[in-house]
Amino acid sequence: MASKTPVGFIGLGNMGNPMAKNLMKHGYPLIIYDVFPDACKEFQDAGEQVVSSPADVAEKADRIITMLPTSINAIEAYSGANGILKKVKKGSLLIDSSTIDPAVSKELAKEVEKMGAVFMDAPVSGGVGAARSGNLTFMVGGVEDEFAAAQELLGCMGSNVVYCGAVGTGQAAKICNNMLLAISMIGTAETMNLGIRLGLDPKLLAKILNMSSGRCWSSDTYNPVPGVMDGVPSANNYQGGFGATLMAKDLGLAQDSATSTKSPILLGSQAHQIYRMMCAKGYSKKDFSSVFQFLREEESF
Amino acid sequence: MASKTPVGFIGLGNMGNPMAKNLMKHGYPLIIYDVFPDACKEFQDAGEQVVSSPADVAEKADRIITMLPTSINAIEAYSGANGILKKVKKGSLLIDSSTIDPAVSKELAKEVEKMGAVFMDAPVSGGVGAARSGNLTFMVGGVEDEFAAAQELLGCMGSNVVYCGAVGTGQAAKICNNMLLAISMIGTAETMNLGIRLGLDPKLLAKILNMSSGRCWSSDTYNPVPGVMDGVPSANNYQGGFGATLMAKDLGLAQDSATSTKSPILLGSQAHQIYRMMCAKGYSKKDFSSVFQFLREEESF
Amino acid sequence: MASKTPVGFIGLGNMGNPMAKNLMKHGYPLIIYDVFPDACKEFQDAGEQVVSSPADVAEKADRIITMLPTSINAIEAYSGANGILKKVKKGSLLIDSSTIDPAVSKELAKEVEKMGAVFMDAPVSGGVGAARSGNLTFMVGGVEDEFAAAQELLGCMGSNVVYCGAVGTGQAAKICNNMLLAISMIGTAETMNLGIRLGLDPKLLAKILNMSSGRCWSSDTYNPVPGVMDGVPSANNYQGGFGATLMAKDLGLAQDSATSTKSPILLGSQAHQIYRMMCAKGYSKKDFSSVFQFLREEESF
Amino acid sequence: MASKTPVGFIGLGNMGNPMAKNLMKHGYPLIIYDVFPDACKEFQDAGEQVVSSPADVAEKADRIITMLPTSINAIEAYSGANGILKKVKKGSLLIDSSTIDPAVSKELAKEVEKMGAVFMDAPVSGGVGAARSGNLTFMVGGVEDEFAAAQELLGCMGSNVVYCGAVGTGQAAKICNNMLLAISMIGTAETMNLGIRLGLDPKLLAKILNMSSGRCWSSDTYNPVPGVMDGVPSANNYQGGFGATLMAKDLGLAQDSATSTKSPILLGSQAHQIYRMMCAKGYSKKDFSSVFQFLREEESF
């Protein structure tokens, strides 16, 4: 088997770390960078090459994956003083798996294109567990002709790689899904809470909803009421899962996108405000299904 | 086959009419009453007995089904000057399939119990089509020992008869489901609208949601965006289905129940207000999925 | 000075107690009843006549004031087994100062009218302080011809007695005012919080709002931000004033009235939910302006 | 009287036009630029100097006022290819009266400072009428030492010039005021509508609110209900005044600021969505008080 050409990886946090390891498992040598040198150590020990800036990654790899926490970090990694764009090679494929504002993705794509390279946005759904097991879903936006090339790499890290359309549509799909998820989850929590107060048994109510038109992923797969399902965060004091802070962040992106496209999101913006409040009241690190606990009328927490 | 004892039926409207016919098909002679005599004519022609008040129904039948549009109509039918309670026989089984405030169901149950009879609330889900084909779902609240007796009749009209608990829990289950349905539907409409404006193809977006955590009945079975699915109201200019007025009514019941039990329903109350506005803006008779059209930023309607 | 005829007073709680005392100061002998005998003791000691039921009050007085916490208490006092209606004299004037559902006021008025007596709803604004100093505002609904008679008594307890129209409009005016108050207060709290985070000095921001179109009673007379004004609950850790629980109750009445009249109240229903949540999170007894503290993003409370 | 040094003015739209004329009345020669040459003609005819880019304005004037519709226009005027920054002189005073995102004001201020010049944000409140009569209110953010210099010019165009703090706080004060205004206006509209449906006379209800704690600028100075006040847009079919589109724009800025500072604005974001919907339903050009008409449950419009 001929050796593979190296792949750059920028951003080795909770998600980036296991993603990069899955690339290694598939035989790709890595060129690594993270603003926190400690995050690189593990890879260095494993024999991967660690460099000192995104620009240096771009010098040594013509396929690069970025996995960063916010729009600002992504802009810095691409357009900063030592950013990718300083040394990117013509024809390079740059895949950003961060969840950021689709408008920023489009901006970055324009700058990348000016340098003769290709940019794709490919945010993920699925958490750390899916990242470890290589079962992430990637939602990919960019030129369709390049999708196959992106798929080769993304398929090492995810079981589901979906082409969504032009640059920015990967982000759009991600934030759309998460907005609907947040609305359904809060709706499920409100509904279960109301039903319980009206005298319904929570397991029975969940069963009725799940065979009726109220059914949703939050009611049938990730029920927020303790005791209704096993193996979900509500069964474990809302530990693990997808934190309220992360949901609040995604809803902020949805809100920004809705404002700039003048789209009315009455429930979406309300959901954003609810997660914002939860973050201020001690729920930041709890799974987002803890909104049930938040709405429940009990003084102690 | 021994002939069956007659069943009383009060309220022969859009829903009551086909429900009563299904009882006839199963061989039950009917004792019929409706405030609008015209509604009874068809049954009279078919040989059923029409009487002139709910009290008269109660005199001639010891199992009675009521199917009425509002709490006020139900109170009148039971406690009015010529109501069921005036002549109800001891041991009678009174099943109310109206969708009303669970607190009213409990009140009626108390009065019925004083007369030595049994009351159950058994609201339905499924529309006129399901009523015709005998495929309604009944959510039943009342004494568990009497459930089998209720099931005998309800099973003639529905394919799904679910015992929910004490009196009032049938109503509770119904309004809980519909509140979550309204929230999910509006959420789906907002999400699809936002995604489309961000450049996503609606069919693709629906597909992505349906394989992800945003999945819900409104996205995968009853998508509100024209062109995404066949055979749903959105494919037919939002005709048929479940009208916005009916949804607004059910959300009003949810709101009343939430207020009286002091349950916070942030999205539920917002959903109520949205359907309230839609009713004022020409959408009353359109299917409730027309909220997509309502949110879409287009002047013409 | 000829001695005055006695006035009945039912409900001697936090508000009723000082109101009744103001009637005494104006020379009216009282016929007293409260479900809690202890509440009557003070009046008995002062020589007023204490009786054992609302019916007994009605037997001895032809002008009666009721001041009760909820619709249910008012219904009991009027229509209960020993209620006013059991012994009310023809031509009596019955004034209900409770804050209740206007629909209930109308119901009570009908029953009272059947007995040949007159009913008026006259809820108050102003708290315990205004009740003590005789500075309440009464909003009065009922037959206009009887307003002068009502005014004679209400003027002893309030400085402002406003005729609002037919029975129920007193309640309507009260809950309308309080709904707008709740909305403005939350709006002021959100605005001050946002401004502070954007770097504005709270006193300066309040000054700018108060000379601009954002001005409202909550910003210029009862500012919710500690340090902006003296002599308001926000200057005293939100003690005293008008408790969040009471505001939640009034918003529940507004919500019920809006639902039954099919009036869209998008912000009103949201305000209701916010106070509902606050009551569940330890703010029940704090002044309603503590919503500023609730929205402020600080973990400790 | 010694002749005054010229002042640059960029943006001669509905607001900029009368503002610039007031500077002329006070004897300031103008250096004029607008992207639409037609907008400059009137000033050219009056003898003022018209140039062909913001850069040219900066070359000829060391005090410049910009009055532009959006953040993007402001960025272009300052940082564009022919923007002010290309030729700005050291020590120049640049005052931006546009209403834009405070974060953008801060960005512009940084760039201006690098060139050795001074930037202040000074958005206005008051509409075209106040601009004509020189009665605008300016809310000014920037270095306090320069406030007197700004005041000299702004005082020619407004009767009220308020120093708000560091750069960006002028914008912050503006959007805070308008957010509270929008909330109060919608609240007033909901309240008046509910009261009317409960049987209250609108004039009487307004009177009661205005002497009570529900009082706000929208109820006492700009009442949205036709027939309650004279001389306001509601008395004139909601023509004139402050258009719903402009309010939606300002609420979008408030929403962006709240998202980026993680401030919960439950009612503010709901107000944003409501004006967003109104713009889609034919109310864009109507005064923002037309929300009363929008909420009123009447089919015709």
Side-chain angles (χ1 to χ4, degrees), chain A residues 252 255-256 259 262-266 269-270 272-273 276-277, chain D residues 252 255-256 259 262 264-266 269-270 272-273 276-277:
Chain A
Q255 186 121 56
D256 287 347
T259 301
K262 300 189 177 176
S263 310
I265 51 162
L266 287 110
S269 70
Q270 215 57 27
H272 179 212
Q273 302 307 317
R276 184 60 52 231
M277 278 196 299
Chain D
Q255 186 120 57
D256 288 346
T259 300
K262 300 189 179 177
I265 51 162
L266 287 110
S269 71
Q270 215 55 25
H272 180 212
Q273 302 306 318
R276 185 60 52 230
M277 277 197 297

PDB file of all heavy atoms in Angstrom, chain A residues 252 255-256 259 262-266 269-270 272-273 276-277, chain D residues 252 255-256 259 262 264-266 269-270 272-273 276-277:
ATOM      1  N   GLY A 252     -27.521  31.074  19.120  1.00  0.00           N
ATOM      2  CA  GLY A 252     -27.048  32.428  18.799  1.00  0.00           C
ATOM      3  C   GLY A 252     -26.721  32.546  17.318  1.00  0.00           C
ATOM      4  O   GLY A 252     -27.041  33.553  16.677  1.00  0.00           O
ATOM      5  N   GLN A 255     -29.944  32.665  15.447  1.00  0.00           N
ATOM      6  CA  GLN A 255     -30.550  33.985  15.609  1.00  0.00           C
ATOM      7  C   GLN A 255     -29.868  35.006  14.694  1.00  0.00           C
ATOM      8  O   GLN A 255     -30.540  35.786  14.017  1.00  0.00           O
ATOM      9  CB  GLN A 255     -30.390  34.410  17.076  1.00  0.00           C
ATOM     10  CG  GLN A 255     -31.083  35.687  17.419  1.00  0.00           C
ATOM     11  CD  GLN A 255     -32.113  35.496  18.510  1.00  0.00           C
ATOM     12  OE1 GLN A 255     -31.825  35.019  19.606  1.00  0.00           O
ATOM     13  NE2 GLN A 255     -33.333  35.868  18.233  1.00  0.00           N
ATOM     14  N   ASP A 256     -28.541  34.983  14.663  1.00  0.00           N
ATOM     15  CA  ASP A 256     -27.825  35.921  13.790  1.00  0.00           C
ATOM     16  C   ASP A 256     -28.215  35.696  12.329  1.00  0.00           C
ATOM     17  O   ASP A 256     -28.449  36.656  11.583  1.00  0.00           O
ATOM     18  CB  ASP A 256     -26.306  35.740  13.942  1.00  0.00           C
ATOM     19  CG  ASP A 256     -25.802  36.304  15.268  1.00  0.00           C
ATOM     20  OD1 ASP A 256     -26.551  37.037  15.944  1.00  0.00           O
ATOM     21  OD2 ASP A 256     -24.653  36.009  15.641  1.00  0.00           O
ATOM     22  N   THR A 259     -31.709  36.974  11.716  1.00  0.00           N
ATOM     23  CA  THR A 259     -31.764  38.431  11.680  1.00  0.00           C
ATOM     24  C   THR A 259     -31.246  38.944  10.338  1.00  0.00           C
ATOM     25  O   THR A 259     -31.875  39.789   9.708  1.00  0.00           O
ATOM     26  CB  THR A 259     -30.937  39.041  12.832  1.00  0.00           C
ATOM     27  OG1 THR A 259     -31.471  38.569  14.068  1.00  0.00           O
ATOM     28  CG2 THR A 259     -31.002  40.556  12.822  1.00  0.00           C
ATOM     29  N   LYS A 262     -33.666  38.215   7.628  1.00  0.00           N
ATOM     30  CA  LYS A 262     -35.017  38.699   7.947  1.00  0.00           C
ATOM     31  C   LYS A 262     -36.044  37.575   8.013  1.00  0.00           C
ATOM     32  O   LYS A 262     -37.167  37.714   7.544  1.00  0.00           O
ATOM     33  CB  LYS A 262     -35.453  39.754   6.924  1.00  0.00           C
ATOM     34  CG  LYS A 262     -34.507  40.953   6.905  1.00  0.00           C
ATOM     35  CD  LYS A 262     -35.042  42.082   6.072  1.00  0.00           C
ATOM     36  CE  LYS A 262     -34.088  43.272   6.143  1.00  0.00           C
ATOM     37  NZ  LYS A 262     -34.484  44.378   5.303  1.00  0.00           N
ATOM     38  N   SER A 263     -35.646  36.457   8.608  1.00  0.00           N
ATOM     39  CA  SER A 263     -36.552  35.326   8.757  1.00  0.00           C
ATOM     40  C   SER A 263     -37.173  35.357  10.147  1.00  0.00           C
ATOM     41  O   SER A 263     -36.447  35.413  11.135  1.00  0.00           O
ATOM     42  CB  SER A 263     -35.784  34.003   8.622  1.00  0.00           C
ATOM     43  OG  SER A 263     -34.985  34.021   7.467  1.00  0.00           O
ATOM     44  N   PRO A 264     -38.507  35.284  10.223  1.00  0.00           N
ATOM     45  CA  PRO A 264     -39.121  35.266  11.559  1.00  0.00           C
ATOM     46  C   PRO A 264     -38.907  33.925  12.247  1.00  0.00           C
ATOM     47  O   PRO A 264     -39.219  32.877  11.687  1.00  0.00           O
ATOM     48  CB  PRO A 264     -40.609  35.495  11.272  1.00  0.00           C
ATOM     49  CG  PRO A 264     -40.814  35.104   9.851  1.00  0.00           C
ATOM     50  CD  PRO A 264     -39.496  35.245   9.144  1.00  0.00           C
ATOM     51  N   ILE A 265     -38.333  33.936  13.436  1.00  0.00           N
ATOM     52  CA  ILE A 265     -38.179  32.694  14.212  1.00  0.00           C
ATOM     53  C   ILE A 265     -38.714  32.948  15.613  1.00  0.00           C
ATOM     54  O   ILE A 265     -37.959  33.144  16.555  1.00  0.00           O
ATOM     55  CB  ILE A 265     -36.721  32.186  14.251  1.00  0.00           C
ATOM     56  CG1 ILE A 265     -35.734  33.295  14.671  1.00  0.00           C
ATOM     57  CG2 ILE A 265     -36.285  31.620  12.917  1.00  0.00           C
ATOM     58  CD1 ILE A 265     -34.385  32.728  15.149  1.00  0.00           C
ATOM     59  N   LEU A 266     -40.018  32.901  15.730  1.00  0.00           N
ATOM     60  CA  LEU A 266     -40.653  33.236  17.012  1.00  0.00           C
ATOM     61  C   LEU A 266     -40.256  32.249  18.096  1.00  0.00           C
ATOM     62  O   LEU A 266     -39.845  32.650  19.190  1.00  0.00           O
ATOM     63  CB  LEU A 266     -42.174  33.266  16.847  1.00  0.00           C
ATOM     64  CG  LEU A 266     -42.652  34.500  16.074  1.00  0.00           C
ATOM     65  CD1 LEU A 266     -43.154  34.116  14.710  1.00  0.00           C
ATOM     66  CD2 LEU A 266     -43.698  35.240  16.858  1.00  0.00           C
ATOM     67  N   SER A 269     -36.171  32.075  18.574  1.00  0.00           N
ATOM     68  CA  SER A 269     -35.535  33.117  19.380  1.00  0.00           C
ATOM     69  C   SER A 269     -35.903  32.937  20.846  1.00  0.00           C
ATOM     70  O   SER A 269     -35.101  33.211  21.737  1.00  0.00           O
ATOM     71  CB  SER A 269     -35.896  34.506  18.878  1.00  0.00           C
ATOM     72  OG  SER A 269     -37.231  34.809  19.130  1.00  0.00           O
ATOM     73  N   GLN A 270     -37.107  32.433  21.107  1.00  0.00           N
ATOM     74  CA  GLN A 270     -37.487  32.167  22.490  1.00  0.00           C
ATOM     75  C   GLN A 270     -36.630  31.046  23.071  1.00  0.00           C
ATOM     76  O   GLN A 270     -36.181  31.127  24.206  1.00  0.00           O
ATOM     77  CB  GLN A 270     -38.973  31.795  22.516  1.00  0.00           C
ATOM     78  CG  GLN A 270     -39.700  32.275  23.729  1.00  0.00           C
ATOM     79  CD  GLN A 270     -39.612  33.778  23.912  1.00  0.00           C
ATOM     80  OE1 GLN A 270     -39.451  34.530  22.965  1.00  0.00           O
ATOM     81  NE2 GLN A 270     -39.673  34.215  25.149  1.00  0.00           N
ATOM     82  N   HIS A 272     -33.644  30.334  22.211  1.00  0.00           N
ATOM     83  CA  HIS A 272     -32.331  30.931  22.465  1.00  0.00           C
ATOM     84  C   HIS A 272     -32.313  31.613  23.835  1.00  0.00           C
ATOM     85  O   HIS A 272     -31.403  31.420  24.647  1.00  0.00           O
ATOM     86  CB  HIS A 272     -32.022  31.944  21.357  1.00  0.00           C
ATOM     87  CG  HIS A 272     -30.715  32.646  21.510  1.00  0.00           C
ATOM     88  ND1 HIS A 272     -30.507  33.933  21.088  1.00  0.00           N
ATOM     89  CD2 HIS A 272     -29.538  32.237  22.033  1.00  0.00           C
ATOM     90  CE1 HIS A 272     -29.268  34.287  21.347  1.00  0.00           C
ATOM     91  NE2 HIS A 272     -28.643  33.289  21.912  1.00  0.00           N
ATOM     92  N   GLN A 273     -33.337  32.396  24.110  1.00  0.00           N
ATOM     93  CA  GLN A 273     -33.384  33.137  25.369  1.00  0.00           C
ATOM     94  C   GLN A 273     -33.483  32.181  26.566  1.00  0.00           C
ATOM     95  O   GLN A 273     -32.913  32.435  27.625  1.00  0.00           O
ATOM     96  CB  GLN A 273     -34.571  34.113  25.370  1.00  0.00           C
ATOM     97  CG  GLN A 273     -34.549  35.115  24.229  1.00  0.00           C
ATOM     98  CD  GLN A 273     -33.260  35.892  24.124  1.00  0.00           C
ATOM     99  OE1 GLN A 273     -32.717  36.341  25.129  1.00  0.00           O
ATOM    100  NE2 GLN A 273     -32.719  36.037  22.929  1.00  0.00           N
ATOM    101  N   ARG A 276     -30.144  30.759  27.156  1.00  0.00           N
ATOM    102  CA  ARG A 276     -29.334  31.840  27.706  1.00  0.00           C
ATOM    103  C   ARG A 276     -29.577  31.958  29.218  1.00  0.00           C
ATOM    104  O   ARG A 276     -28.646  32.021  30.019  1.00  0.00           O
ATOM    105  CB  ARG A 276     -29.752  33.125  26.954  1.00  0.00           C
ATOM    106  CG  ARG A 276     -29.030  34.372  27.237  1.00  0.00           C
ATOM    107  CD  ARG A 276     -27.563  34.399  26.963  1.00  0.00           C
ATOM    108  NE  ARG A 276     -27.127  33.980  25.663  1.00  0.00           N
ATOM    109  CZ  ARG A 276     -26.165  33.076  25.461  1.00  0.00           C
ATOM    110  NH1 ARG A 276     -25.542  32.498  26.466  1.00  0.00           N
ATOM    111  NH2 ARG A 276     -25.791  32.749  24.257  1.00  0.00           N
ATOM    112  N   MET A 277     -30.841  31.947  29.621  1.00  0.00           N
ATOM    113  CA  MET A 277     -31.170  32.029  31.049  1.00  0.00           C
ATOM    114  C   MET A 277     -30.642  30.825  31.810  1.00  0.00           C
ATOM    115  O   MET A 277     -30.142  30.964  32.927  1.00  0.00           O
ATOM    116  CB  MET A 277     -32.683  32.091  31.244  1.00  0.00           C
ATOM    117  CG  MET A 277     -33.263  33.482  31.065  1.00  0.00           C
ATOM    118  SD  MET A 277     -34.938  33.551  31.753  1.00  0.00           S
ATOM    119  CE  MET A 277     -35.756  32.329  30.724  1.00  0.00           C
TER     120      MET A 277
ATOM    121  N   GLY D 252     -33.216  44.398  15.303  1.00  0.00           N
ATOM    122  CA  GLY D 252     -32.186  43.473  14.835  1.00  0.00           C
ATOM    123  C   GLY D 252     -30.827  43.826  15.448  1.00  0.00           C
ATOM    124  O   GLY D 252     -30.077  42.938  15.863  1.00  0.00           O
ATOM    125  N   GLN D 255     -30.901  42.777  19.023  1.00  0.00           N
ATOM    126  CA  GLN D 255     -30.777  41.321  19.108  1.00  0.00           C
ATOM    127  C   GLN D 255     -29.317  40.898  18.925  1.00  0.00           C
ATOM    128  O   GLN D 255     -28.804  40.085  19.695  1.00  0.00           O
ATOM    129  CB  GLN D 255     -31.644  40.701  18.012  1.00  0.00           C
ATOM    130  CG  GLN D 255     -31.722  39.210  18.064  1.00  0.00           C
ATOM    131  CD  GLN D 255     -33.150  38.729  18.235  1.00  0.00           C
ATOM    132  OE1 GLN D 255     -34.045  39.029  17.466  1.00  0.00           O
ATOM    133  NE2 GLN D 255     -33.377  37.948  19.269  1.00  0.00           N
ATOM    134  N   ASP D 256     -28.659  41.460  17.924  1.00  0.00           N
ATOM    135  CA  ASP D 256     -27.244  41.132  17.705  1.00  0.00           C
ATOM    136  C   ASP D 256     -26.403  41.482  18.930  1.00  0.00           C
ATOM    137  O   ASP D 256     -25.552  40.699  19.353  1.00  0.00           O
ATOM    138  CB  ASP D 256     -26.709  41.884  16.478  1.00  0.00           C
ATOM    139  CG  ASP D 256     -27.251  41.318  15.167  1.00  0.00           C
ATOM    140  OD1 ASP D 256     -27.815  40.210  15.171  1.00  0.00           O
ATOM    141  OD2 ASP D 256     -27.112  41.993  14.136  1.00  0.00           O
ATOM    142  N   THR D 259     -27.124  39.030  21.703  1.00  0.00           N
ATOM    143  CA  THR D 259     -26.515  37.724  21.463  1.00  0.00           C
ATOM    144  C   THR D 259     -25.020  37.773  21.768  1.00  0.00           C
ATOM    145  O   THR D 259     -24.496  36.896  22.448  1.00  0.00           O
ATOM    146  CB  THR D 259     -26.746  37.278  20.009  1.00  0.00           C
ATOM    147  OG1 THR D 259     -28.157  37.205  19.772  1.00  0.00           O
ATOM    148  CG2 THR D 259     -26.134  35.907  19.739  1.00  0.00           C
ATOM    149  N   LYS D 262     -24.441  38.005  25.397  1.00  0.00           N
ATOM    150  CA  LYS D 262     -25.131  36.946  26.152  1.00  0.00           C
ATOM    151  C   LYS D 262     -26.139  37.507  27.148  1.00  0.00           C
ATOM    152  O   LYS D 262     -26.257  37.022  28.279  1.00  0.00           O
ATOM    153  CB  LYS D 262     -24.113  36.058  26.880  1.00  0.00           C
ATOM    154  CG  LYS D 262     -23.154  35.392  25.904  1.00  0.00           C
ATOM    155  CD  LYS D 262     -22.295  34.349  26.571  1.00  0.00           C
ATOM    156  CE  LYS D 262     -21.372  33.692  25.541  1.00  0.00           C
ATOM    157  NZ  LYS D 262     -20.464  32.716  26.136  1.00  0.00           N
ATOM    158  N   PRO D 264     -29.983  38.039  28.197  1.00  0.00           N
ATOM    159  CA  PRO D 264     -31.313  37.509  27.873  1.00  0.00           C
ATOM    160  C   PRO D 264     -32.287  38.643  27.591  1.00  0.00           C
ATOM    161  O   PRO D 264     -32.452  39.549  28.394  1.00  0.00           O
ATOM    162  CB  PRO D 264     -31.714  36.751  29.141  1.00  0.00           C
ATOM    163  CG  PRO D 264     -30.883  37.328  30.234  1.00  0.00           C
ATOM    164  CD  PRO D 264     -29.645  37.901  29.612  1.00  0.00           C
ATOM    165  N   ILE D 265     -32.913  38.604  26.418  1.00  0.00           N
ATOM    166  CA  ILE D 265     -33.950  39.609  26.111  1.00  0.00           C
ATOM    167  C   ILE D 265     -35.188  38.861  25.622  1.00  0.00           C
ATOM    168  O   ILE D 265     -35.466  38.785  24.434  1.00  0.00           O
ATOM    169  CB  ILE D 265     -33.485  40.652  25.077  1.00  0.00           C
ATOM    170  CG1 ILE D 265     -32.888  39.989  23.816  1.00  0.00           C
ATOM    171  CG2 ILE D 265     -32.464  41.605  25.667  1.00  0.00           C
ATOM    172  CD1 ILE D 265     -32.821  40.954  22.617  1.00  0.00           C
ATOM    173  N   LEU D 266     -35.929  38.337  26.569  1.00  0.00           N
ATOM    174  CA  LEU D 266     -37.085  37.511  26.212  1.00  0.00           C
ATOM    175  C   LEU D 266     -38.132  38.316  25.463  1.00  0.00           C
ATOM    176  O   LEU D 266     -38.612  37.903  24.405  1.00  0.00           O
ATOM    177  CB  LEU D 266     -37.687  36.885  27.469  1.00  0.00           C
ATOM    178  CG  LEU D 266     -36.818  35.764  28.042  1.00  0.00           C
ATOM    179  CD1 LEU D 266     -36.176  36.178  29.333  1.00  0.00           C
ATOM    180  CD2 LEU D 266     -37.633  34.514  28.209  1.00  0.00           C
ATOM    181  N   SER D 269     -36.573  40.070  22.086  1.00  0.00           N
ATOM    182  CA  SER D 269     -36.450  39.243  20.882  1.00  0.00           C
ATOM    183  C   SER D 269     -37.833  38.930  20.316  1.00  0.00           C
ATOM    184  O   SER D 269     -38.011  38.831  19.105  1.00  0.00           O
ATOM    185  CB  SER D 269     -35.669  37.957  21.180  1.00  0.00           C
ATOM    186  OG  SER D 269     -36.416  37.090  21.964  1.00  0.00           O
ATOM    187  N   GLN D 270     -38.835  38.816  21.196  1.00  0.00           N
ATOM    188  CA  GLN D 270     -40.193  38.583  20.712  1.00  0.00           C
ATOM    189  C   GLN D 270     -40.682  39.815  19.946  1.00  0.00           C
ATOM    190  O   GLN D 270     -41.319  39.686  18.897  1.00  0.00           O
ATOM    191  CB  GLN D 270     -41.089  38.290  21.912  1.00  0.00           C
ATOM    192  CG  GLN D 270     -42.178  37.298  21.646  1.00  0.00           C
ATOM    193  CD  GLN D 270     -41.659  35.973  21.106  1.00  0.00           C
ATOM    194  OE1 GLN D 270     -40.511  35.592  21.339  1.00  0.00           O
ATOM    195  NE2 GLN D 270     -42.485  35.289  20.347  1.00  0.00           N
ATOM    196  N   HIS D 272     -38.883  41.871  18.309  1.00  0.00           N
ATOM    197  CA  HIS D 272     -38.187  41.822  17.020  1.00  0.00           C
ATOM    198  C   HIS D 272     -38.944  40.943  16.036  1.00  0.00           C
ATOM    199  O   HIS D 272     -39.191  41.329  14.895  1.00  0.00           O
ATOM    200  CB  HIS D 272     -36.767  41.279  17.235  1.00  0.00           C
ATOM    201  CG  HIS D 272     -35.951  41.173  15.989  1.00  0.00           C
ATOM    202  ND1 HIS D 272     -35.008  40.210  15.809  1.00  0.00           N
ATOM    203  CD2 HIS D 272     -35.947  41.904  14.857  1.00  0.00           C
ATOM    204  CE1 HIS D 272     -34.449  40.357  14.620  1.00  0.00           C
ATOM    205  NE2 HIS D 272     -35.000  41.374  14.021  1.00  0.00           N
ATOM    206  N   GLN D 273     -39.322  39.753  16.487  1.00  0.00           N
ATOM    207  CA  GLN D 273     -40.018  38.815  15.604  1.00  0.00           C
ATOM    208  C   GLN D 273     -41.375  39.370  15.166  1.00  0.00           C
ATOM    209  O   GLN D 273     -41.813  39.156  14.037  1.00  0.00           O
ATOM    210  CB  GLN D 273     -40.197  37.464  16.306  1.00  0.00           C
ATOM    211  CG  GLN D 273     -38.891  36.818  16.766  1.00  0.00           C
ATOM    212  CD  GLN D 273     -37.879  36.683  15.658  1.00  0.00           C
ATOM    213  OE1 GLN D 273     -38.208  36.328  14.542  1.00  0.00           O
ATOM    214  NE2 GLN D 273     -36.627  37.030  15.937  1.00  0.00           N
ATOM    215  N   ARG D 276     -40.807  41.892  12.536  1.00  0.00           N
ATOM    216  CA  ARG D 276     -40.375  41.135  11.361  1.00  0.00           C
ATOM    217  C   ARG D 276     -41.612  40.605  10.607  1.00  0.00           C
ATOM    218  O   ARG D 276     -41.746  40.783   9.410  1.00  0.00           O
ATOM    219  CB  ARG D 276     -39.483  39.986  11.868  1.00  0.00           C
ATOM    220  CG  ARG D 276     -38.819  39.116  10.886  1.00  0.00           C
ATOM    221  CD  ARG D 276     -37.869  39.762   9.920  1.00  0.00           C
ATOM    222  NE  ARG D 276     -36.843  40.585  10.467  1.00  0.00           N
ATOM    223  CZ  ARG D 276     -36.596  41.822  10.015  1.00  0.00           C
ATOM    224  NH1 ARG D 276     -37.315  42.364   9.044  1.00  0.00           N
ATOM    225  NH2 ARG D 276     -35.639  42.544  10.530  1.00  0.00           N
ATOM    226  N   MET D 277     -42.542  40.000  11.345  1.00  0.00           N
ATOM    227  CA  MET D 277     -43.761  39.491  10.709  1.00  0.00           C
ATOM    228  C   MET D 277     -44.591  40.616  10.116  1.00  0.00           C
ATOM    229  O   MET D 277     -45.155  40.468   9.031  1.00  0.00           O
ATOM    230  CB  MET D 277     -44.624  38.775  11.757  1.00  0.00           C
ATOM    231  CG  MET D 277     -44.212  37.342  12.011  1.00  0.00           C
ATOM    232  SD  MET D 277     -45.549  36.451  12.851  1.00  0.00           S
ATOM    233  CE  MET D 277     -45.633  37.388  14.380  1.00  0.00           C
TER     234      MET D 277
END
